[in-house]
Structure formats: C-alpha cells, structure tokens
Amino acid sequence: MFWQEDVETLAQDKLQELQLKNLNETLQTAKKSQFYSKKLANIGFLKNLSDLKNLPFTEKQDLRDAFPYGLLSVDLSDVVRVHSSSGTTGNPTVVFHTEKDLREWANISARCMYTAGARKTDIFQNTMGYGLFTGGLGFHYGAEKLGMMVIPIGPGNSQRQIWFMKNFKVSAAHILPSYAVRLYHAMRDSGVNPKTDLNLKIFFIGAEPHTEELRREIQDLYGVKAFNSYGLSEISGPGVAFECLQQNGMHIWEDYVIPEIIDPDTLEVLPDGQDGELVLTTINRQAMPVIRYRTRDLTKIITGVCPCGRTHRRIERIKGRTDDMMIINGVNIFPVQIEKTIMNIPEAGKNYIIEITKQNFMDKLNVKIEINDETFGGTLEELERLKAKIQAKLKEETGVSPNVSFVDRGSLPAAEGKAKRVYDLRNEKK
Ligand code: DLL
C-alpha cells in the first residue's frame, strides 16, 4: 500500500521536525552558491519552521539572471546532469543534479507511481519527452526503481505508440492530457478500441493544466484511472505532488519540499484552505536547492486528513498560472474555465484553442473547437444550435461573450510537447 510507510504516514509534528532540520541544512548548502551567499547573507539558523516566511523569495527571473552557474551549490565536478526549461525569452533556466539528487528524484517518482497503484509487474510506456525536459527521464528512473519494465518511447508517432501498447500489453503510461485525447483519435482511426484491444489500466497525466472534466473524459475513453501529477523543472520535475487512489487532491511530498501558499499581490502567507500562489522550498537537494520559489501556479492546500493514510498535505488541482490569466475587456479568465465548459458539453470535440483578437478597440475571445463525430454527422441547423449552446455556456462561466467556431478534426496545431491552447493575437500586425 505504501512505498515508504514510515515517512508517508509520519505524524505532522514529526514531519515538521524533520523539515526544520533539513531546511537548516539546505540553507547552509544553498549559501555555497553565488546567488544565495548574497541573498541569505543575514540569515542564520532558523529556530522554527514559521521563520521560513521571513526569508526572501526566489523568482524565475533570478534563475535566468544567475545563468548558468549562479545557483550551483556544489563543486561542478559533483554535478552529473543538467535539465533545462526553455523559456520563450531570455536565458533558459537550468537545474543541476548530483548523483544523490538523481537517486532522490527516482525515489520520489517511484513513490508517486506506487501511490497510484503501479507495481513491478506493470509494463510502463513513457510517452513524455526525453532530453532537457524533465518528464521523460524523471519518471523513467522512477519507474525502473519501482521495477516496472520501461518502454522509453518518448513523444509522437501515434502508430508506434499504439503498436507498443498492443504488443507489450502496456498497463501503465505517462502521458500529457492533451496528447491522450489525440492518441485516442489515432486509435479510433486505426480501428483499435483501447478498452477491449489494450491492457491499459493506469495513466499518469500532468505537466500541463487540465480540468477534472478532461481527466474524467480520458478515463472514460480509455477505461483507465488517470492520476494527476504535478511538478516543475526548478524543483527537479515530476514528483512534487501526486494523487493517491482517492483522486482527491495531490499529496505534496513534505519530506522533499516545504509548500506555502501566498497571496500573489500582498505576498503574505495564507492559511491552509485559501487560494493563492504555491511557493516551494526544497529540503533535500544538493546541487541546486531553491528557497521560497514562486511557482506562479494557483492552488490551495486542502484541509483535512486523506483517508489513504498518508499524512503529507494535499494541494488542489492547479487552477492556472498567475501569468496565464487572460484579461478580456477587463474581465479575468483562466483557460481552464473554457476547458471545463467544453468538456461538459458531450457533443463538443475535446480539442480546442483560444484566440484573443482585437476588433474596433475591443478584445474578442475566439474559441475554436474540433468537431467530434456526432456533431459532424449533424445538419447545419444542429451545428448552429450547438454553437449557440456553447457560446451561452461559456458566457455563463466566464462573463464574456465568445465567438465559437468549429474546425475539422486534426486541423488544430498539434504540439509534440505541451499543448499551446492560448494565442493572444492582440498585438499582431495585420
Ligand atoms: O512540466 C514537469 C512535469 C513533467 C510534471 C511531467 C508532470 C509530469 P516544467 O516544464 O518546468 O516541468 O513546467 C512546470 O507546468 O509550473 C505548471 O504551471 C505546469 N504543470 C505541471 N504539472 C501540472 C499539472 C514539468 N499536473 C509547469 N497540472 C508548472 C497543471 C501543471 N499544471
């Protein structure tokens, strides 16, 4: 039932003792880096965990400015791997790992997958990108540590994915939620019914925002249980927080990180149960600890104890990123609100993009949805009725009147990595 029962069920007060001890050690390690030697110069030994809130934040821009080695806390000769998240502007952020860091990451990834029911008898297909992106290699080593047979196929080439799934009786897969939808269509087009022709039981889905509705859809399409997986490169990658069999929030592994929720405007720490931005401090990393890292991800800590027996607190599904929010004529909207609405309309397809344009000085929200087979078969009149229905539901959910249009299946841009859903064309020259 547990990967490491002692630590997963450790009482909260004991967990906090452990956190304080490891936090103080981490601060000493961090101060060996150029960046934190200055930033934490006046910070001594912390007596209480609550002293953490007096420490300065670390931002993505700090990582960029310190590129390439400013946050390195160990001798370069002790570094065995680097990962990187490609930003669209400026320097990429780089993250370093010692051999111990990689061992710990493999362990926490194994713990995640075990928590969701994976066992050494499972055959595991890893469709996440290998390379600088953390999704592939991160869970690869976790899956091997757990003892599963790993198929390190990486992303893309749906026919090959299906071929492996079928011939090796793959039971567990690591997959982007947006790709799960596309792969299902590829299966249908090739006459493969995932429920009867394949042996899939567990999906680990994450790396991009998605709604409860999309998760349910994926579960229904494939006949699997799909578990939400949260992580970010700056804190290793996947393995930061993961759902247990209850599928009700993600346990954030508190022997690896200390989570805080802050108000993104006032920067004040908020109590459990309140919505805000997740801030994370690593407490067992050597090569590159990060202190009070502002993730920009919006969530809350769920109050109450999980029936699964794990004592590590849970975070709610990520609602969006502070920098994801679209402001349409002054109204704030998160892309997941659009997804939630679309997923609740059975006749609508499951692939969509959002375009924001400007018309006569006014913002316009355009939602382009792929047609699914049922709607495609319908008459023009039925299509118009469906369009009006989606428009009304979107207005109800967001407060903004969108333009809805249908596009042919397969015609929306398909990324090999994370799906790009929002295209802000307001500043595009005509
Ligand atoms: O996406 C790590 C990862 C790989 C997580 C595989 C899960 C599975 P980055 O590329 O650095 O790392 O992107 C991190 O992606 O700050 C969130 O905004 C978003 N994100 C990650 N997981 C989830 C999730 C990997 N389950 C950024 N739900 C994070 C919503 C997620 N957003």
Side-chain angles (χ1 to χ4, degrees):
M1 160 108 173
F2 299 102
W3 177 249
Q4 292 165 287
E5 182 163 0
D6 49 348
V7 65
E8 287 172 54
T9 60
L10 199 60
Q12 265 288 329
D13 55 338
K14 294 273 179 259
L15 204 45
Q16 286 174 13
E17 266 173 39
L18 180 83
Q19 286 182 322
L20 182 61
K21 177 176 156 284
N22 291 351
L23 172 61
N24 275 309
E25 275 172 21
T26 296
L27 292 176
Q28 292 316 311
T29 310
K31 280 187 194 175
K32 292 181 188 148
S33 72
Q34 217 177 47
F35 174 75
Y36 283 120
S37 68
K38 289 196 202 105
K39 193 139 179 145
L40 302 176
N42 301 325
I43 306 293
F45 186 81
L46 303 188
K47 288 209 189 71
N48 297 301
L49 214 47
S50 56
D51 297 337
L52 178 63
K53 67 174 180 306
N54 304 322
L55 268 47
F57 292 109
T58 306
E59 311 242 6
K60 190 160 194 124
Q61 192 57 41
D62 294 324
L63 268 63
R64 289 209 168 107
D65 294 345
F67 178 86
Y69 291 125
L71 270 90
L72 185 62
S73 297
V74 296
D75 202 272
L76 191 54
S77 65
D78 290 325
V79 174
V80 298
R81 197 192 302 161
V82 61
H83 278 280
S84 165
S85 107
S86 59
T88 40
T89 51
N91 290 331
T93 53
V94 283
V95 181
F96 304 102
H97 299 269
T98 62
E99 186 271 334
K100 176 174 178 286
D101 289 336
L102 291 183
R103 251 191 293 129
E104 293 285 5
W105 187 16
N107 179 62
I108 204 70
S109 303
R111 190 196 289 174
C112 289
M113 291 184 267
Y114 195 92
T115 295
R119 294 295 179 266
K120 74 188 294 292
T121 43
D122 279 299
I123 310 287
F124 172 69
Q125 187 152 324
N126 192 0
T127 77
M128 290 273 181
Y130 279 74
L132 288 170
F133 177 55
T134 55
L137 286 170
F139 265 21
H140 177 98
Y141 287 106
E144 284 186 356
K145 186 163 176 75
L146 205 158
M148 296 192 277
M149 181 174 102
V150 180
I151 303 175
I153 189 166
N157 198 339
S158 297
Q159 289 311 320
R160 200 153 64 118
Q161 302 280 1
I162 299 166
W163 189 90
F164 271 96
M165 284 179 174
K166 204 168 168 177
N167 286 288
F168 286 92
K169 297 206 175 341
V170 168
S171 52
H174 190 203
I175 189 162
L176 288 166
S178 55
Y179 184 55
V181 171
R182 277 197 287 129
L183 182 63
Y184 173 78
H185 288 308
M187 286 182 183
R188 282 222 9 219
D189 291 346
S190 349
V192 173
N193 179 343
K195 285 187 185 157
T196 52
D197 301 337
L198 303 178
N199 191 40
L200 292 169
K201 295 191 172 61
I202 310 175
F203 273 9
F204 311 120
I205 55 171
E208 58 186 16
H210 59 284
T211 52
E212 178 61 35
E213 286 75 7
L214 180 58
R215 180 247 288 277
R216 272 198 226 118
E217 183 73 25
I218 292 170
Q219 296 195 145
D220 285 353
L221 293 175
Y222 286 92
V224 296
K225 285 263 177 229
F227 295 89
N228 194 0
S229 157
Y230 170 78
L232 57 161
S233 334
E234 295 84 342
I235 316 285
S236 293
V240 175
F242 213 83
E243 279 183 329
C244 63
L245 296 175
Q246 303 290 324
Q247 293 188 305
N248 181 17
M250 296 176 278
H251 288 278
I252 187 150
W253 301 118
E254 295 191 78
D255 54 331
Y256 277 61
V257 291
I258 302 178
E260 295 171 277
I261 300 287
I262 61 161
D263 178 320
D265 298 321
T266 65
L267 306 184
E268 241 168 81
V269 176
L270 300 173
D272 288 3
Q274 281 194 26
D275 282 308
E277 178 186 333
L278 180 65
V279 169
L280 294 170
T281 299
T282 62
I283 49 169
N284 73 345
R285 279 185 49 212
Q286 293 181 325
M288 193 179 140
V290 284
I291 311 297
R292 304 198 82 204
Y293 184 70
R294 290 191 60 183
T295 65
R296 307 276 162 188
D297 292 319
L298 297 168
T299 181
K300 68 173 167 209
I301 292 181
I302 297 174
T303 52
V305 184
C306 184
C308 80
R310 289 175 186 81
T311 48
H312 299 231
R313 287 174 297 169
R314 287 163 294 160
I315 54 168
E316 206 172 56
R317 172 182 299 285
I318 305 295
K319 185 171 136 211
R321 293 177 54 81
T322 47
D323 39 18
D324 251 10
M325 194 173 72
M326 309 177 280
I327 306 181
I328 312 288
N329 301 319
V331 181
N332 300 347
I333 305 177
F334 285 104
V336 287
Q337 289 177 272
I338 311 257
E339 178 174 301
K340 186 174 150 206
T341 309
I342 296 173
M343 295 301 146
N344 275 327
I345 300 178
E347 309 97 295
K350 306 303 166 207
N351 266 332
Y352 66 95
I353 60 163
I354 301 162
E355 279 180 1
I356 312 166
T357 52
K358 228 174 175 68
Q359 265 172 22
N360 303 327
F361 305 104
M362 295 295 283
D363 300 328
K364 194 77 209 158
L365 179 69
N366 305 282
V367 181
K368 297 187 171 172
I369 310 173
E370 279 188 0
I371 260 172
N372 86 10
D373 297 347
E374 290 100 294
T375 48
F376 192 60
T379 62
L380 222 53
E381 240 176 29
E382 277 170 336
L383 269 188
E384 283 307 314
R385 231 179 294 136
L386 179 60
K387 189 191 283 185
K389 176 170 161 187
I390 297 174
Q391 260 159 347
K393 290 274 180 208
L394 283 171
K395 168 103 199 277
E396 206 177 291
E397 170 67 33
T398 64
V400 164
S401 265
N403 237 336
V404 170
S405 53
F406 294 118
V407 296
D408 288 335
R409 186 144 69 71
S411 67
L412 289 176
E416 189 153 270
K418 303 187 189 206
K420 180 167 164 55
R421 303 279 198 199
V422 181
Y423 295 81
D424 191 341
L425 309 175
R426 280 177 288 196
N427 295 320
E428 298 268 298
K429 297 235 160 44
K430 290 254 166 69

